[in-house]
Amino acid sequence: MSELTELYQEVILDHNKRPRNYQVPSGANRHAEGFNPLCGDRFTVYLRVEDGVIQDAGFQGAGCAISKASASLMTDIVKGRTLEEARALFDRFHDMVTAPMEATADADLLGKLAVFAGVREFPVRVKCASLAWHAMRAAVQSASDPVSTE
Amino acid sequence: MSGIGVKPQPDVLDVERVREDFPILGRRVHGKPLVYLDNAATTQKPQPVLDALFRYYTGSNANVHRGVHLLSQEATDAFEAGRVSVQRFLNAAHASEIIFTRNASEGVNLVAESFGRLKVRAADEIVITGMEHHSNIVPWQLLCERTGAILRVVPITDEGELRLDEMERLLTERTRLVAVTHLSNALGTVNPIPTIVEMAHHHGAAVLVDGAQAAYHMPVDVQALGCDFYVVTGHKLYGPTGIGALYGRQALLEAMPPYQGGGDMIRSVTFEKTTYNDLPHKFEAGTPHIAGVVGLGAAVEYIRGIGLDRIAVHERDLLEYATARLNEVPGLRLIGTARHKASILSFVLDGVHPHDIGTIVDREGVAIRTGHHCAQPVMERFGIPATARASLAVYNTRSDIDALIRALRKVREVFA
């Protein structure tokens, strides 16, 4: 049960139950969809980018607890970061959920994202944890065309 | 059934005895005894199948249909004996009506390609149903793209039953073929194939039945069903992966053009003209999966030895027990509640995504499938992204179901 507790930490369960930033931010000018065809998880990540800085972030969609909590925490942490910093965070997050991390190297930078370290023990769930991150990176790299508001 | 070979015994299935035939059931998963409830994805393999593969490779391995030496003769005999086993298993009238394929999907693709070239033209119609696996959807979409034919889809009810009234409405003189699953992999619904065949034939349409899920749960008699094509896959019949079979009515198969070109499917080749081989070889280009056929033959003989009637009774009892137990779980909703069901328990749990259910029960040793089960239109029909699915086989017991229920309690604890 211990690895399970590592995976489903309180923070993750809380963000799953009450996801933060679960909306399209006003003035959003970039977005990208993340879709995992294996399990049907599907999230769209929205960013408002001004002068190379992510001023606001949000997401919409549906998925498992890991993917939803990850989207929630990701949108929290990228707010106020430059696009360059957001890309670097993606790399660090990706490293953390795929390979053993050096003890303290990124603990400060990743902050509460460290709760996803337990995903390492569940290789098939890595895609869940990184889904919204992939969407965020795609949004960062996308042209700044406006989000349609249907 | 033809009555040849081992007759099913009238007594009750001795599950513990059956379990001894499956070596993998003795292993542990995450420190717990394996509870394997993902049979709709693939079944485990009994010792007689493993022995047959070993015997073939250690004793008789050679290419088939082409050597004068003894090993080639033995390999050919074993290969063709596998065909006769599958013929008897499906009660086809002729062994030459059994075409070996890689899997059920390839059987559907063969028919879509070859029957399509024979019969399907622009503005013709193909009728499928709202509960098909992707493998019984996409080949028909490809055929429609190629020919300009139109795909029609019979809707399903909230319980997961086919709307036969809608099917009747969709069948016209333009309908060339109806493709329908015998047993839905996502819902467990058993479809009334003889009724569907009668309706389709009345309109002059052929019928392909996807038997990938059905053939290891209930006796299949293609002559009694009356269908024109029936596809199965070996790995769900307790046999090896990479081998499947297509049954086709002889007259149709003879009229259909070859599917793939290569060795074995020809009678003579010159650069001016090639003549094709007789059935079934016309549809089996290249060196086949000989060991796979040997293993599949052993697998269907193993099933016949136990008796599908007995298996069906055992699994029906288990399905009823599991349905009742699952319905007691707070917040659990079964997806697929057709009156005539078999072997499949698809469900969702309030507030917990199926993927999370799958991970947590796995840690309890319980293997189930989570996701869309290669039936995305079914998920869409029920307005859900995915389900958790427990699926039964001959070796499952009530204690397997109890383990699943205990594991679902763990899910509730984690997501309290």
Side-chain angles (χ1 to χ4, degrees):
Chain A
M1 197 68 185
S2 68
E3 279 176 349
L4 264 191
T5 330
E6 274 291 301
L7 180 66
Y8 292 106
Q9 296 195 31
E10 275 309 313
V11 179
I12 290 178
L13 294 172
D14 176 55
H15 277 259
N16 171 52
K17 210 179 257 180
R18 295 180 295 112
R20 324 295 199 263
N21 312 309
Y22 192 74
Q23 73 249 332
V24 183
S26 67
N29 52 12
R30 297 192 189 190
H31 75 284
E33 186 181 68
F35 177 51
N36 182 349
L38 201 70
C39 54
D41 289 1
R42 190 189 291 270
F43 290 104
T44 305
V45 170
Y46 301 88
L47 305 174
R48 190 176 87 238
V49 178
E50 286 162 9
D51 304 326
V53 175
I54 298 171
Q55 298 294 350
D56 204 355
F59 75 102
Q60 298 264 274
C64 65
I66 305 299
S67 62
K68 196 194 279 185
S70 182
S72 173
L73 278 153
M74 182 276 293
T75 45
D76 251 0
I77 203 165
V78 297
K79 278 190 222 176
R81 308 259 182 178
T82 66
L83 296 181
E84 207 42 58
E85 287 170 339
R87 278 195 206 100
L89 269 176
F90 171 91
D91 292 338
R92 293 215 165 76
F93 183 82
H94 195 260
D95 287 349
M96 179 183 72
V97 294
T98 52
M101 195 177 53
E102 326 236 315
T104 54
D106 293 301
D108 287 345
L109 183 59
L110 285 169
K112 49 187 172 180
L113 291 181
V115 295
F116 288 99
V119 171
R120 272 196 299 252
E121 303 301 325
F122 297 79
V124 296
R125 306 303 300 272
V126 168
K127 280 185 178 165
C128 308
S130 52
L131 182 63
W133 284 87
H134 280 282
M136 183 276 288
R137 191 176 64 161
V140 161
Q141 283 163 351
S142 73
S144 55
D145 46 3
V147 175
S148 76
T149 46
E150 272 122 0
Chain B
M1 305 296 282
S2 61
I4 305 164
V6 188
K7 279 199 177 131
Q9 301 300 304
D11 55 330
V12 183
L13 184 74
D14 182 353
V15 190
E16 289 311 319
R17 173 72 197 76
V18 167
R19 290 179 67 85
E20 287 169 13
D21 292 334
F22 292 81
I24 206 170
L25 297 179
R27 75 160 282 182
R28 297 173 79 80
V29 170
H30 303 301
K32 309 270 170 61
L34 169 66
V35 174
Y36 189 76
L37 291 170
D38 193 18
N39 295 290
T42 197
T43 53
Q44 301 301 343
K45 317 308 171 197
Q47 195 63 49
V49 169
L50 305 176
D51 289 345
L53 292 171
F54 186 80
R55 262 201 318 275
Y56 168 71
Y57 274 129
T58 50
S60 306
N61 177 56
N63 212 327
V64 292
H65 302 143
R66 61 198 72 185
V68 294
H69 58 81
L70 181 65
L71 290 191
S72 176
Q73 191 53 53
E74 285 180 8
T76 304
D77 289 348
F79 182 77
E80 292 303 329
R83 197 185 307 275
V84 171
S85 290
V86 174
Q87 175 208 350
R88 288 197 306 214
F89 184 71
L90 297 176
N91 197 32
H94 311 283
S96 59
E97 293 178 315
I98 303 298
I99 312 293
F100 288 119
T101 59
R102 283 184 298 137
N103 43 42
S105 293
E106 192 178 42
V108 179
N109 278 280
L110 189 159
V111 174
E113 173 70 28
S114 175
F115 178 86
R117 268 193 279 151
L118 179 71
K119 294 270 191 188
V120 181
R121 303 288 175 265
D124 285 347
E125 297 186 352
I126 305 291
V127 171
I128 63 171
T129 85
M131 68 174 87
E132 299 308 314
H133 187 281
H134 294 164
S135 62
N136 204 20
I137 301 173
V138 183
W140 307 113
Q141 287 176 325
L142 291 170
L143 172 64
C144 288
E145 271 175 31
R146 206 162 57 235
T147 58
I150 299 154
L151 193 65
R152 303 283 185 203
V153 184
V154 180
I156 57 178
T157 66
D158 290 344
E159 289 71 37
E161 294 182 353
L162 267 189
R163 290 278 308 272
L164 290 179
D165 54 333
E166 288 289 326
M167 179 175 267
E168 188 58 63
R169 212 175 53 75
L170 288 174
L171 292 168
T172 71
E173 75 284 355
R174 304 297 316 167
T175 312
R176 292 292 165 264
L177 183 134
V178 175
V180 59
T181 185
H182 198 170
L183 165 52
S184 158
N185 76 307
L187 300 167
T189 310
V190 178
N191 284 317
I193 300 300
T195 307
I196 292 167
V197 167
E198 200 184 327
M199 288 164 65
H201 283 179
H202 181 71
H203 292 272
V207 177
L208 175 140
V209 179
D210 173 1
Q213 284 300 334
Y216 62 111
H217 296 302
M218 61 188 82
V220 172
D221 179 337
V222 290
Q223 295 184 73
L225 291 174
C227 58
D228 302 283
F229 303 104
Y230 196 96
V231 298
V232 295
T233 189
H235 72 93
K236 293 195 213 288
L237 293 165
Y238 309 105
T241 54
I243 188 69
L246 160 71
Y247 156 80
R249 267 199 306 117
Q250 187 168 289
L252 263 174
L253 290 178
E254 278 173 351
M256 283 158 52
Y259 173 49
Q260 293 175 329
D264 235 24
M265 55 76 71
I266 43 83
R267 177 165 292 128
S268 75
V269 177
T270 66
F271 289 117
E272 289 70 39
K273 175 143 185 71
T274 291
T275 51
Y276 304 123
N277 206 338
D278 294 329
L279 291 178
H281 311 294
K282 181 173 92 174
F283 289 105
E284 293 177 354
T287 296
H289 186 3
I290 305 164
V293 169
V294 169
L296 175 57
V300 297
E301 291 302 336
Y302 177 78
I303 296 173
R304 281 164 50 84
I306 298 173
L308 270 164
D309 289 313
R310 284 203 296 168
I311 293 173
V313 168
H314 166 69
E315 290 181 0
R316 194 178 315 133
D317 170 74
L318 210 49
L319 181 70
E320 278 172 24
Y321 178 74
T323 304
R325 293 293 318 262
L326 284 170
N327 276 328
E328 291 165 8
V329 175
L332 186 145
R333 180 162 64 99
L334 283 165
I335 305 294
T337 49
R339 282 159 294 178
H340 196 185
K341 262 189 82 168
S343 72
I344 306 271
L345 297 133
S346 222
F347 60 92
V348 291
L349 205 51
D350 269 354
V352 189
H353 191 278
H355 213 161
D356 297 311
I357 299 174
T359 289
I360 296 169
V361 303
D362 172 58
R363 290 283 147 158
E364 299 299 310
V366 181
I368 61 169
R369 171 87 185 265
T370 64
H372 53 57
H373 317 298
C374 299
Q376 285 181 16
V378 173
M379 300 298 114
E380 201 172 312
R381 167 65 179 79
F382 288 91
I384 47 179
T387 74
R389 181 188 70 187
S391 51
L392 311 171
V394 61
Y395 39 67
N396 287 123
T397 62
R398 288 189 174 210
S399 87
D400 290 342
I401 304 303
D402 296 340
L404 170 66
I405 300 293
R406 278 197 305 277
L408 289 175
R409 251 180 240 138
K410 292 273 182 191
V411 175
R412 270 282 166 247
E413 281 170 26
V414 172
F415 281 84

